[in-house]
Structure formats: structure tokens, C-alpha cells
Amino acid sequence: MVGTGDGNALLQVEAEVSSGEVLPDEINLSARVPEVLKLSHTCGAPGSREQAYLVGQRIYVPFELEMGNGQPVVGYGYYPMAATGGLTLSAADSGQQYAAFDTTDAGSAKLSSEIDGTTLDLALVQASALDGVAEPIALVLEDIDVGDENAFYVLPEAGGLTVCQADVAFEVESTSPSVCSVRKLDERPGIAIDPAQVHEYGWFAVTGLAEGTCTYTVTYPGSGAVGSFSYPIEP
């Protein structure tokens, strides 16, 4: 169904069930041109207006459409935003939560709303420019106990910015092998996570072996960026 103009419509349907009875239903629909565009990043501090992304990858930018009174406007394939810098919209990757872009050139890039004054800044960097490691994010509902294995994910940094959705080689190693073991995960864990994390990489698992402080390192071998971190293991 495509909204062709500003107005209201009544959608009526009938379905014949296995007993042969015909059941009707209907729903009111409103078609509106949105007045507000919200843009955000999938990583970094909430509300941050600039983060980094790697060149040569497809990235997903969260967006929301609303009316001026806050009423959501939903639909597929409508992206009222202009891109400057090394960003190319992948319109075929249609969605209503994320706009897909291919990153083509290093440098500054910007998304600008075509319906209000919203903007979002992106720094596009080469993998060789990675110079730090952000604090890993734990998907832990409670403490990590001895015998537990829990998932984390980690993101690199470049120029003081977190690099979102960084699909790049990394290594993890326990530096307290008597307390914990650490291993990379080939896939994202099959547990409930924040929707924004669906597009993030860098997943690994920590297993508690003994009570104490688990220490481990994360390294991005292509750039030499390395970080050291710790997490408590409870009895």
C-alpha cells in the first residue's frame, strides 16, 4: 500500500476461515507528509552528533519520522535526507528504522534532513587509522559467576570517536587465565539485545573460571590499536 496524498482512508478486508464463515475487519489509516526527522548513531554516547565509520562498508543509520506533535509516521523506502561526503544511499535496502549507506571515501560526511533542520555528522576512516579501543559493552543481566559465559562486544576508536559497526579483524586474550577465559564469537549471541546493537560487530565471550578480577586485552592487528580491560568474576 502506498500513500498517494495527505488524508485518511478506511481499509476493509474479509477472510474466509476453515469453517466457511466470512469474517470482516477494518482499520483507519492516515497518510501524512512527516514534519520531523530524527537521526542517530548506533554507538557512542546517547545523543552524540558525530561518530566514526569505516570506509568500504555498508552502514545503517537509525532514523524516525514524526509529525510536529510527535505522532509517528511509519512506512518503507522514504528517506528525506541528503548525504554529503563519502556516503551513497542504498535505497534497495528498504526499511523504516534504518537508512542504509555505502561508505566510499575517507573524510567528513553529513546527513541533512530535507524536512527540518536535523543533521548528523559522520567521520569516515580507513581501518589503518584505528588508534584506540572503546570500553567493551557487556550483555550481562547479573554478575558473571564462576562457570558462567557471557557475551560482550567491543568497538575501536579513531581520533577520539567511537567507530560504529566496525567489521574489522580483532583479537581477544585473557591476561588472567586462572580467573577467566576469553574467546571470539563467530556470530552475535541469540539473546535479547538493544535493537541498535544488531548492526554492531566485535562480539566475544568471557567465561568465569575462579573468583577474582578477569583481565583481558583487545587488539586490532591491522592498526596496532590495543586496550586492556577487566571484569569481576563472582563466586
Side-chain angles (χ1 to χ4, degrees):
M1 180 176 295
V2 178
T4 58
D6 194 327
N8 299 311
L10 179 65
L11 175 63
Q12 297 176 310
V13 297
E14 291 183 344
E16 183 176 341
V17 298
S18 58
S19 65
E21 182 183 7
V22 176
L23 301 177
D25 201 357
E26 62 184 33
I27 185 173
N28 288 301
L29 300 172
S30 297
R32 297 287 187 269
V33 176
E35 299 170 333
V36 176
L37 173 65
K38 295 182 178 180
L39 296 168
S40 59
H41 298 286
T42 57
C43 76
S48 59
R49 303 314 299 166
E50 182 181 24
Q51 292 299 341
Y53 296 81
L54 290 180
V55 171
Q57 297 191 355
R58 177 159 295 180
I59 65 171
Y60 295 87
V61 177
F63 77 102
E64 298 177 48
L65 297 169
E66 297 179 351
M67 300 302 294
N69 62 3
Q71 180 184 19
V73 180
V74 298
Y76 289 89
Y78 177 55
Y79 307 107
M81 61 190 82
T84 58
L87 292 173
T88 302
L89 177 68
S90 175
D93 200 338
S94 183
Q96 68 178 35
Q97 287 184 295
Y98 300 94
F101 293 88
D102 294 317
T103 58
T104 56
D105 301 294
S108 298
K110 182 185 290 288
L111 294 177
S112 301
S113 170
E114 297 175 336
I115 58 176
D116 62 8
T118 298
T119 61
L120 191 73
D121 294 314
L122 302 85
L124 307 182
V125 301
Q126 300 286 354
S128 58
L130 302 181
D131 56 15
V133 185
E135 182 74 29
I137 297 173
L139 273 65
V140 179
L141 300 178
E142 298 178 351
D143 297 329
I144 298 181
D145 298 330
V146 174
D148 288 347
E149 179 177 84
N150 285 273
F152 291 67
Y153 73 94
V154 66
L155 299 170
E157 296 177 330
L161 298 174
T162 306
V163 184
C164 305
Q165 303 173 40
D167 186 6
V168 62
F170 75 102
E171 299 172 354
V172 289
E173 181 181 6
S174 173
T175 53
S176 56
S178 63
V179 177
C180 64
S181 62
V182 183
R183 66 182 182 91
K184 291 173 60 175
L185 295 175
D186 295 330
E187 298 180 350
R188 297 177 182 86
I191 59 177
I193 57 177
D194 186 304
Q197 297 168 345
V198 170
H199 296 295
E200 300 298 354
Y201 296 87
W203 293 92
F204 64 96
V206 173
T207 300
L209 302 178
E211 181 182 2
T213 299
C214 170
T215 58
Y216 62 93
T217 59
V218 178
T219 304
Y220 291 90
S223 65
V226 60
S228 298
F229 307 98
S230 64
Y231 204 93
I233 304 299
E234 304 295 340

